[in-house]
Amino acid sequence: MHDEQVIAAVDLGSNSFHMVVARIDPATRTLRVIDRLRETVRLGSGLEQGQKRLSEAARERALACLARFGDRLRRLQAQQVRAVGTNTLRRARDAADFMQEAEHALGHPIEVVSGYEEARLIYLGVAHSLGFDEHRRLVVDIGGGSTELILGRGPRAEQMESVHLGCVSLTGRCFADGRITERRFREAGVLARLELGPVEGAFRAPAWQGAVGASGTVRAAADACASRDWSPPGWITAEALGRLRRLAVEAGDAEVLGEWLGLSGDRRQVFPAGLAALCAVFEALGIERMEVADGAMREGVMHDLAGRLGMLQHSEDARANTVAALRRRYSVESGQADRVAATAATLLEQVAPSWGLLDRFYHDILDWAAQLHEIGLDISHAQYHKHGAYILRNADMAGFSRQEQQLLALLVRVHRRKLARGQLKALPQRWLDTGKRLAVVLRLAVLLHRGRADGSVLEPRVEPLGDGMRLWFPAGWLADNPLLQADLAQEQRYLERAGMTLELAESAG
């Protein structure tokens, strides 16, 4: 039985930052939320047009918020924290510089997730909040910088898309001064339909049996409609949405509309654009009724984190499922993948304490890299390590952040031939040394199994060195295996050029 743990999820959205903290009950293996925080940051509005760089004002708002979140996490003694950034951090050219400051303020690493992964996490949060059934759901989340559309059944998302349509970005284009007119609503609707056009065929009714909304825009619209008895609480109908749109035009101004609807001050400026986007979604996808979910991305992140820890009922790590699917899709030879993975795990176990690689994640990422190191063979044998790295860097991989995909792709890219230092420099700062060391372990595991034989191979004893390792073989073994000895001599030269040491030694007796 596990000890009770406090876990937290932080969502760095384009409009608002959210944090939810929960306690895992070890007896029932369930989550109990103990704290929630939300602050309007408008990070997306600080993305300077043309240059796609975060404005100084937006950075200051974000860092101040994260410092407050970090202080709360320390007070609550959260043991496991997962923080994710979305659309704005995907687009910002200076995201890497900002992330270093943001991680320092929060006190925890921050991942940037793809639109595909963002959609999966949103669906996970919605599914947990509404319960699981066998009906196929459409889930819509209109965020500050993007809109996610997901089709899923039960706990699993089946089809996901992310489009560049958000209430912050659309506000800047159509409602920047707060004025609301019929013409501006039509312009916003056209822009929204242009973004939805390429995907609406796949998500249009009757592809689903029920529609669910999961964003602040949807909740605000539902509350406004319910307060006027235009639709039942927790629901939005197409008719009610049309009446709300006409009311917005009648108000003529975002502040006036906000007053009429009782919106919070930070919601008023972006609500007209969010409403226009929601109207476009209803029209494009043929929605007549939409249920409003309490769960959203931060709840999805929290449940995903708990799944990785294996501490909830029916929990799973989506990344392991993704790796298994990639193995099948690219016809990976299972025997060789399993052999390399097993040896890599044995080698890592010997060096992990000295190299600071005890975290479970390092074992997992090495295992996944070993399982997938030959996926490029399905394209071409020549330069297959480069083909494999390209696939892993660019594929939609459920459960993986962009940084995790980058590390996985790097390990596959450098598992043979030269250990290119230029490739290593692309990793986040915290993984520079880690990536190089994991790469060496994988390279040796691959090299030891170059014969691709089913029988076991001799796994040398490993002695970690500060900048490399020493391999110990039985006396005379290397001389009896000249091909492996030649491979190891070549590996010594490769690692030396990368600034690492590989020593070969033989034990007496």
Side-chain angles (χ1 to χ4, degrees):
M1 182 66 68
H2 296 281
D3 293 331
E4 189 177 69
Q5 284 203 37
V6 175
I7 67 172
V10 181
D11 170 8
L12 284 69
S14 297
N15 185 49
S16 304
F17 286 5
H18 296 260
M19 183 173 75
V20 57
V21 186
R23 199 182 302 276
I24 299 178
D25 186 329
T28 61
R29 302 188 72 192
T30 56
L31 286 173
R32 180 168 58 85
V33 173
I34 59 176
D35 199 13
R36 290 180 184 273
L37 290 176
R38 173 190 178 275
E39 291 192 23
T40 299
V41 174
R42 300 240 174 88
L43 193 65
S45 67
L47 201 60
E48 295 173 342
Q49 296 299 318
Q51 297 184 15
K52 291 187 178 179
R53 302 180 69 85
L54 296 171
S55 69
E56 192 58 36
R59 292 170 73 105
E60 289 178 2
R61 290 194 300 269
L63 294 175
C65 172
L66 292 174
R68 289 187 285 273
F69 281 10
D71 179 65
R72 185 64 62 88
L73 289 171
R74 286 187 292 273
R75 291 174 184 273
L76 293 173
Q77 298 181 329
Q79 294 109 316
Q80 298 284 343
V81 178
R82 188 180 181 203
V84 297
T86 56
N87 182 267
T88 296
L89 292 180
R90 289 195 291 268
R91 296 173 58 212
R93 292 175 180 170
D94 56 345
D97 293 336
F98 168 75
M99 292 267 286
Q100 289 189 27
E101 296 180 80
E103 289 178 346
H104 178 74
L106 182 64
H108 296 275
I110 298 171
E111 310 168 19
V112 178
V113 296
S114 67
Y116 178 89
E117 174 64 1
E118 183 179 354
R120 186 189 73 87
L121 292 169
I122 289 167
Y123 181 84
L124 188 61
V126 169
H128 275 280
S129 71
L130 295 179
F132 307 132
D133 57 39
E134 290 307 308
H135 292 102
R136 201 173 195 218
R137 289 179 174 134
L138 164 70
V139 174
V140 179
D141 187 298
I142 300 172
S146 63
T147 290
E148 278 63 50
L149 306 174
I150 313 104
L151 292 176
R153 199 186 310 267
R156 295 287 179 87
E158 298 174 348
Q159 189 169 349
M160 295 161 278
E161 289 288 349
S162 178
V163 298
H164 293 297
L165 170 62
C167 61
V168 173
S169 53
L170 199 59
T171 294
R173 298 183 70 176
C174 298
F175 303 98
D177 61 1
R179 290 182 58 241
I180 306 171
T181 65
E182 181 61 36
R183 182 179 61 82
R184 290 187 178 195
F185 250 111
R186 285 198 301 269
E187 289 175 355
V190 169
L191 290 173
R193 290 299 299 271
L194 286 173
E195 295 293 341
L196 293 167
V199 302
E200 64 182 59
F203 291 89
R204 188 174 175 84
W208 39 267
Q209 286 79 54
V212 183
S215 64
T217 289
V218 172
R219 283 192 292 274
D223 290 344
C225 291
S227 68
R228 283 160 173 72
D229 294 325
W230 293 345
S231 60
W235 290 84
I236 303 174
T237 65
E239 180 186 359
L241 197 61
R243 297 175 74 172
L244 185 58
R245 182 186 187 279
R246 290 190 291 274
L247 181 68
V249 174
E250 180 185 341
D253 181 84
E255 283 296 322
V256 174
L257 178 63
E259 254 184 76
W260 288 3
L261 299 180
L263 300 177
S264 63
D266 55 7
R267 174 62 56 185
R268 293 180 181 185
Q269 183 181 354
V270 298
F271 183 73
L275 177 59
L278 184 59
C279 290
V281 168
F282 264 65
E283 181 182 347
L285 306 186
I287 300 172
E288 290 298 326
R289 284 167 53 89
M290 174 179 281
E291 186 177 4
V292 181
D294 290 329
M297 182 170 170
R298 53 265 182 201
E299 287 80 14
V301 172
M302 186 174 61
H303 281 282
D304 194 60
L305 174 58
R308 292 181 179 189
L309 297 172
M311 298 185 70
L312 295 184
Q313 294 178 5
H314 313 299
S315 62
E316 62 181 11
D317 190 334
R319 296 172 298 180
N321 294 336
T322 295
V323 170
L326 286 170
R327 278 181 53 154
R328 293 191 297 270
R329 179 175 180 179
Y330 290 97
S331 308
V332 170
E333 184 186 334
S334 297
Q336 181 68 358
D338 292 341
R339 286 188 289 267
V340 171
T343 295
T346 300
L347 298 178
L348 179 62
E349 185 178 354
Q350 298 179 64
V351 299
S354 296
W355 281 358
L357 301 178
L358 292 173
D359 191 293
R360 176 71 190 181
F361 170 73
Y362 300 131
H363 174 275
D364 289 342
I365 200 76
L366 180 63
D367 179 70
W368 296 327
Q371 292 187 51
L372 299 175
H373 76 280
E374 289 189 337
I375 62 170
L377 285 173
D378 205 45
I379 298 175
S380 171
H381 187 277
Q383 306 290 311
Y384 75 85
H385 55 304
K386 295 182 180 178
H387 299 315
Y390 179 85
I391 292 169
L392 296 174
R393 195 163 45 244
N394 295 282
D396 287 328
M397 296 179 62
F400 285 87
S401 68
R402 284 190 168 188
Q403 293 99 319
E404 289 171 340
Q405 281 190 237
Q406 194 176 17
L407 177 57
L408 186 61
L410 178 278
L411 294 176
V412 170
R413 170 65 176 81
V414 301
H415 84 266
R416 65 194 289 260
R417 305 284 177 83
K418 295 178 181 178
L419 182 54
R421 281 193 273 190
Q423 299 288 327
L424 291 165
K425 290 178 181 177
L427 290 175
Q429 186 70 31
R430 66 178 181 275
W431 284 343
L432 287 179
D433 290 336
T434 297
K436 183 163 62 173
R437 288 171 170 175
L438 289 174
V440 171
V441 174
L442 179 60
R443 290 170 67 90
L444 289 173
V446 171
L447 188 151
L448 290 169
H449 287 283
R450 190 170 178 183
R452 310 180 76 86
D454 286 332
S456 61
V457 301
L458 176 70
E459 294 175 344
R461 180 169 63 86
V462 182
E463 180 184 347
L465 305 174
D467 59 349
M469 61 175 65
R470 182 181 292 118
L471 304 183
W472 287 90
F473 296 90
W477 193 90
L478 288 172
D480 293 338
N481 294 271
L483 291 179
L484 180 58
Q485 187 176 29
D487 283 338
L488 288 169
Q490 178 63 66
E491 184 66 11
Q492 285 178 310
R493 292 189 287 271
Y494 282 144
L495 295 185
E496 184 179 5
R497 292 171 196 159
M500 298 193 74
T501 301
L502 178 63
E503 297 182 4
L504 308 179
E506 295 187 343
S507 55

